[in-house]
């Protein structure tokens, strides 16, 4: 099989070129200074924040840390950049502030100790709202009402909560919370910034048999307009509505599109830019609030992973497909921000497949080597989340496997987003096992259709996908030839004890309680329970500073593999839940490819 070597002068494999190629995120721009922007790029080999003066074209690197930085926000006046300072990817830290033009980094909010971030809102008048999460305090939200003032706590609860948004006049603060104990379905509370007093509540989880969630999409960008865009699930999928917490008025929008719909405001508040996700592809629409007119915003077929409306009415968006690398485009024409260096090599298009499963039709995405005939050695690349979904978007990892002669199958199992509320919520109480039933059904199709060689099928994934990989190797030991698990949950009870508080809340929702309260549910869903049944060689990679899938529970699983001399390898690296360093990412993919080749005899 081909290893995807380059035809150029420099003998660099195509798959490595994709990882090394410079990339940029969708630029964020300052509301009061729209020519000032902030974006993320890997131009130096590590993902860092960059400031961009669009008027002059000047760009400069804002952060420079060994393990990278991606969390940053521009102040509305464009004068400063806030960025989150953690330690080697542990996600526990403080916000720092740096002048847009460069200069010293200073502590942005003196008086607030380090925490996990739970949202940030910066007002046009200098008001600051900071959300925090700690094991000791749960969720707290703090307001700095004027520059230099002390932060004042306005919210506290043991369950997960975070900053939703700040109204344009900084009078109202929207909070997303899960005080009812369901971390998958938030409720909303609006507080007065002046004194923290209650303005309104919106709770779709109360008084019914269905578990429905809400999310803050943003206050109106116009002074004096207290309306807020809210995402809701009242019709079985995510879609937007307008809610005025001052008057209590709710306004449904005439958006008759299948699939999930998100929304954001045009800068003048007269219209909305809608992001429509359906069957693993995305598109954009413009919605006129007054006339309720819905107009398609032209974008190529593929996935739109973010969009923003500019003051001149144009829309900038991040687009890619499985075959074509990501690019930031404008409806005004052309590429908005062109990263330096060569464009990464293309890959192969994705094919969509629907398979009948135990809980309904399952959507899977398939890529196969160009020009080859099956059956192929096949990698089942399982997405994380679990509240996420694979899409027709460019991903360097699957493209690397295709270059090496493998077919790649990605399954949007029950628990995935994008297919309605019931599909997403289906995995509760039989955590992991539900998803693996769907993956097994698609595996059966892949073999029966002639796509996959049944003796050479690899189960692979990261985060929740890594968890499903280890669980699948133990509960379906004859189905998989090799397993690759990156930053996985391996021992669920220990993971619960050591993970960050927000994930404890999610696990209580998924399982219906803590390990002490529902021990049998945790036992049957923990990969450690089935470790002695694993037959396939196992490769595990883990971040030493990972707060989401902590290292000790992985070590417990590895010790059990070692105790019975099971074939396995472990790679530990000095970062958190994944790496922001390009060469580290390449190293990890290279190690996985080598492990599979050795154990599949390729």
């Amino acid at each position: 099989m081909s290893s995807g070597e380059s035809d150029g002068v420099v003998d660099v494999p195509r798959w490595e070129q994709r990882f090394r190629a410079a990339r940029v995120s969708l630029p964020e721009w300052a509301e009061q200074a729209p020519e000032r922007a902030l974006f993320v790029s890997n131009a130096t080999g590590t993902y860092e924040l960059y400031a961009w003066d669009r008027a002059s074209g000047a760009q400069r690197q804002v952060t420079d840390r060994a393990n990278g930085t991606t969390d940053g926000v521009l102040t509305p006046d464009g004068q400063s950049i806030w960025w989150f300072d953690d330690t080697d990817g542990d996600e526990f830290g403080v916000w720092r502030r740096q002048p847009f033009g460069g200069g010293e980094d200073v502590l942005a909010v003196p008086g607030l100790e380090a925490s996990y971030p739970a949202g940030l809102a910066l007002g046009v008048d200098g008001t600051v709202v900071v959300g925090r999460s700690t094991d000791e305090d749960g969720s707290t939200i703090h307001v700095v009402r004027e520059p230099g003032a002390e932060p004042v706590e306005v919210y506290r609860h043991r369950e997960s909560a975070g900053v939703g948004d700040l109204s344009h006049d900084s009078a109202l603060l929207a909070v997303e919370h899960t005080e009812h104990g369901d971390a998958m379905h938030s409720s909303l509370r609006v507080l007065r910034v002046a004194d923290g007093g209650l303005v309104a509540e919106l709770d779709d989880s109360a008084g019914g048999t269905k578990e429905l969630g809400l999310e803050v999409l943003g206050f109106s960008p116009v002074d004096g307009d207290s309306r807020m865009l809210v995402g809701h699930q009242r019709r079985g999928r995510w879609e937007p509505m307008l809610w005025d917490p001052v008057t209590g008025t709710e306004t449904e929008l005439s958006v008759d599109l299948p699939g999930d719909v998100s929304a954001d405001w045009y800068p003048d508040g007269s219209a909305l830019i809608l992001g429509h996700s359906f069957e693993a592809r995305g598109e954009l629409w413009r919605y006129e609030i007054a006339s309720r007119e819905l107009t398609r915003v032209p974008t190529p077929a593929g996935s739109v992973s973010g969009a923003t409306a500019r003051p001149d009415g144009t829309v900038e968006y991040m687009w890619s497909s499985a075959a074509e690398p990501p690019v930031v485009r404008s409806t005004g024409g052309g590429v908005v921000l062109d990263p330096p260096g060569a464009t990464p090599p293309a890959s192969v298009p994705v094919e969509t497949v629907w398979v009948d499963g135990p809980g309904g039709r399952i959507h899977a995405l398939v890529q196969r080597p160009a020009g080859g005939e099956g059956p192929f050695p096949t990698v089942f690349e399982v997405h994380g989340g679990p509240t996420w979904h694979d899409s027709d978007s460019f991903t360097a990892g699957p493209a690397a496997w295709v270059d090496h002669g493998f077919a790649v199958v990605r399954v949007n199992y029950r628990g995935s987003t994008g297919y309605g509320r019931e599909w997403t919520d289906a995995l509760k109480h039989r955590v992991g096992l539900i998803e693996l039933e769907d993956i097994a059904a698609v595996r059966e199709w892949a073999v029966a259709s002639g796509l996959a060689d049944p003796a050479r099928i690899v189960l692979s994934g990261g985060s929740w996908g890594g968890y499903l990989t280890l669980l699948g190797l133990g509960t379906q030991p004859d189905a998989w030839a090799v397993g690759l698990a990156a930053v996985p949950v391996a021992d669920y009870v220990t993971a619960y004890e050591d993970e960050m508080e927000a994930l404890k809340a999610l696990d209580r929702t998924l399982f219906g309680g803590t390990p002490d309260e529902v021990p049998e549910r945790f036992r049957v869903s923990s990969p450690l329970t089935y470790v002695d049944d694993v037959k396939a060689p196992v490769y595990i990679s883990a971040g030493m500073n990972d707060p989401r899938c902590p290292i000790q529970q992985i070590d417990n699983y590895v010790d059990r593999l070692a105790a019975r001399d099971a074939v396995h390898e472990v790679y530990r690296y000095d970062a958190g839940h994944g790496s922001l360093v390009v060469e580290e990412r390449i190293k990890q993919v290279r190690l996985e490819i080598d492990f599979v080749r050795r154990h599949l005899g390729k």
Side-chain angles (χ1 to χ4, degrees):
M1 299 291 180
S2 169
S3 61
E5 298 299 317
S6 167
D7 295 328
V9 176
V10 180
D11 191 20
V12 177
R14 289 168 57 85
W15 72 267
E16 289 191 22
Q17 292 179 44
R18 294 191 191 98
F19 278 94
R20 288 199 174 95
R23 296 189 181 185
V24 294
S25 67
L26 180 69
E28 169 198 341
W29 51 275
E31 179 183 350
Q32 297 173 313
E35 295 309 305
R36 291 191 168 188
L38 182 70
F39 65 91
V40 176
S41 177
N42 64 342
T44 64
T46 301
Y47 285 85
E48 296 285 3
L49 295 168
Y50 287 77
W52 177 27
D53 186 327
R54 300 175 66 137
S56 68
Q59 299 176 8
R60 72 170 188 88
Q61 185 174 338
V62 175
T63 53
D64 184 7
R65 303 193 304 153
N67 281 300
T69 315
T70 58
D71 292 339
V73 180
L74 268 175
T75 55
D77 61 8
Q79 294 298 309
S80 300
I81 296 164
W82 288 49
W83 61 275
F84 192 75
D85 184 11
D86 66 349
T87 302
D88 295 329
D90 68 358
E91 302 182 41
F92 193 85
V94 297
W95 287 98
R96 299 196 183 277
R97 187 178 71 247
Q98 181 184 129
F100 182 85
E104 181 184 4
D105 291 306
V106 299
L107 187 63
V109 186
L112 290 184
E113 296 182 355
S115 69
Y116 296 110
L120 176 71
L122 304 177
V124 295
D125 64 348
T127 299
V128 172
V129 184
V130 180
R132 302 172 67 252
S133 174
T134 65
D135 293 343
E136 297 77 19
D137 297 331
S139 303
T140 61
I141 296 177
H142 307 259
V143 173
V144 180
R145 296 190 174 102
E146 58 184 34
E150 291 292 317
V152 176
E153 182 180 298
V154 296
Y155 180 90
R156 175 182 290 260
H157 202 276
R158 285 301 313 169
E159 296 292 345
S160 293
V163 177
D165 196 21
L166 189 64
S167 63
H168 196 259
D169 59 7
S170 296
L172 303 175
L173 166 63
V175 176
E176 292 185 359
H177 71 84
T178 60
E179 293 177 7
H180 48 277
D182 182 352
M184 294 179 68
H185 303 95
S186 294
S187 298
L188 306 185
R189 179 172 299 156
V190 176
L191 306 175
R192 287 190 299 271
V193 172
D195 59 8
L198 176 65
V199 176
E201 301 262 16
L202 194 61
D203 184 358
D204 277 8
S205 69
T209 58
K210 293 182 178 180
E211 299 165 317
L212 303 177
L214 298 165
E215 62 177 339
V216 175
L217 301 177
F219 276 104
S220 165
V222 178
D223 271 342
D225 185 353
S226 55
R227 292 177 303 169
M228 184 197 316
L229 270 172
V230 172
H232 68 91
Q233 297 178 301
R234 295 173 182 176
R235 297 197 299 174
R237 59 189 177 90
W238 283 109
E239 56 186 319
M241 70 176 184
L242 290 169
W243 176 47
D244 189 331
V246 175
T247 66
T249 303
E250 297 179 18
T251 305
E252 298 289 338
L253 305 184
S254 301
V255 181
D256 190 18
L257 296 171
D260 288 343
V261 180
S262 62
D264 199 1
W265 297 87
Y266 274 79
D268 64 2
S270 67
L272 307 176
I273 182 71
L274 304 183
H276 175 224
S277 175
F278 182 59
E279 296 185 349
R281 291 183 171 88
E283 60 186 15
L284 297 175
W285 295 76
R286 178 182 172 113
Y287 180 86
E288 300 290 343
I289 295 175
S291 67
R292 304 172 77 87
E293 180 182 0
L294 189 63
T295 306
R296 174 77 186 274
V297 177
T299 59
S303 291
V304 177
S305 58
T308 180
R310 294 281 292 168
D312 63 0
T314 61
V315 175
E316 296 176 353
Y317 61 95
M318 176 68 77
W319 175 90
S320 73
S321 70
E324 297 297 327
V327 60
V328 180
R329 295 183 173 182
S330 171
T331 56
V335 174
V336 174
L337 184 59
D338 202 7
T343 301
S347 186
V348 298
V350 72
E351 308 167 25
T352 62
V353 174
W354 291 90
V355 177
D356 290 333
R361 296 175 71 228
I362 307 161
H363 194 197
L365 307 178
V366 177
Q367 290 173 276
R368 63 183 78 214
E373 294 186 5
F376 301 100
T378 300
V379 175
F380 271 65
E381 187 71 34
V382 184
H383 73 71
T387 51
W388 191 252
H389 68 271
D390 281 314
S391 61
D392 181 11
S393 59
F394 192 81
T395 309
W401 288 110
V402 172
D403 283 356
H404 284 82
F406 289 77
V408 176
V409 179
R410 292 178 284 166
V411 181
N412 284 329
Y413 50 75
R414 278 172 290 170
S416 303
T417 55
Y419 300 88
R421 179 189 57 80
E422 291 184 0
W423 190 261
T424 301
D425 291 352
L427 58 81
K428 285 186 178 179
H429 300 174
R430 293 187 62 240
V431 178
L433 306 175
I434 289 280
E435 302 96 297
L436 286 169
E437 289 175 356
D438 291 350
I439 292 169
V442 177
R443 181 195 181 279
E444 182 178 347
W445 165 84
V447 172
S449 68
L451 173 74
D453 179 346
R456 295 191 294 168
I457 303 181
V458 179
L459 186 60
S460 175
S463 191
W464 194 266
Y467 158 63
L468 293 177
T469 294
L470 295 184
L471 189 62
L473 295 179
T475 60
Q476 304 167 349
D478 296 319
W480 312 106
V482 178
L484 307 172
V487 291
V489 174
D491 169 4
Y492 223 129
V493 173
T494 302
Y496 180 87
E497 293 171 353
D498 294 348
E499 68 192 3
M500 59 200 301
E501 182 59 35
L503 292 184
K504 284 186 172 73
L506 176 60
D507 285 339
R508 290 193 297 271
T509 296
L510 291 173
F511 286 95
T514 68
D516 289 337
E517 294 166 342
V518 288
E520 181 62 13
R521 289 178 183 172
F522 275 84
R523 187 192 70 80
V524 299
S525 292
S526 178
L528 188 67
T529 301
Y530 312 97
V531 65
D532 292 338
D533 297 322
V534 173
K535 297 179 181 180
V538 186
Y539 177 87
I540 298 174
S541 58
M544 296 296 291
N545 308 312
D546 191 345
R548 299 173 180 268
C549 298
I551 195 67
Q552 182 59 58
Q553 52 95 25
I554 293 173
D555 289 342
N556 294 347
Y557 185 91
V558 171
D559 289 345
R560 289 281 297 276
L561 288 175
R564 65 182 185 89
D565 294 324
V567 179
H568 72 283
E569 292 181 13
V570 183
Y571 174 68
R572 298 175 177 87
Y573 56 95
D574 186 22
H577 199 62
S579 176
L580 298 175
V581 179
V582 171
E583 289 303 319
E584 176 62 36
R585 291 185 176 187
I586 291 172
K587 179 180 181 180
Q588 292 181 27
V589 174
R590 187 183 294 119
L591 288 170
E592 290 182 347
I593 292 171
D594 177 68
F595 186 84
V596 169
R597 280 181 148 177
R598 283 187 281 120
H599 292 287
L600 284 189
K602 290 182 79 278

